[in-house]
């Protein structure tokens, strides 16, 4: 089983859609030894290749909610990504399809956590909206806590 991966899904040229890649860039700057940090446009085969047989996969993506509260962070634990039942999806068919297909192919991580951040602006342009930018430090800290919890749990002998 390979170690953890953090996957930032999104498009940095569509304002808040770039929140996933922004988290990955921040983690790279801070340093995350032993963790694979990856950016993705959400394409199914690429996602499966990134989390294939990982111990932990953390996925970060922009979402839309109703009623909207831009910058609000949602955490979803995908119930056993290796199991045969369907899990919920946070952002369209891409992630849900990737989870379902990776199950069928036996290429799921042991554990998956999805962080969805409510977007304010997904129009064309660069830079996160104020509420999403304000949520970024807390989101990065939450991902780091997930990674630390994984180390604490898996390294106990």
């Amino acid at each position: 089983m390979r170690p953890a991966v953090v996957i930032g899904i999104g498009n940095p040229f569509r304002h808040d859609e770039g929140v996933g890649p922004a988290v990955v860039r921040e983690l790279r700057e801070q340093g995350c030894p032993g963790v694979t940090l990856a950016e993705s446009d959400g394409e199914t085969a690429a996602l499966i290749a990134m989390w294939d047989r990982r111990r932990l996969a953390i996925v970060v993506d922009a979402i839309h909610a109703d009623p909207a509260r831009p910058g609000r962070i949602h955490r979803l634990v995908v119930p056993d990504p290796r199991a045969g039942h369907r899990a919920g999806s946070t952002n369209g068919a891409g992630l849900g399809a990737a989870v379902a297909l990776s199950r069928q192919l036996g290429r799921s991580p042991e554990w998956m956590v999805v962080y969805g951040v409510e977007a304010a602006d997904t129009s064309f342009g660069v830079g996160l909206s104020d509420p999403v930018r304000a949520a970024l430090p807390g989101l990065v800290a939450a991902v780091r806590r997930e990674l630390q919890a994984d180390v604490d749990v898996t390294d106990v002998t």
Side-chain angles (χ1 to χ4, degrees), residues 4-21:
V5 62
V6 177
I7 303 168
I9 297 177
N11 181 346
F13 299 106
R14 295 204 59 160
H15 290 293
D16 292 345
E17 282 291 328
V19 71

Side-chain angles (χ1 to χ4, degrees), residues 1-5 36 50-56 109-110:
M1 190 61 54
R2 298 184 306 162
V5 62
T36 301
M50 289 176 194
W51 70 47
D52 184 19
R53 297 182 187 99
R54 297 283 180 159
R55 186 177 61 241
L56 170 67
E110 278 186 30

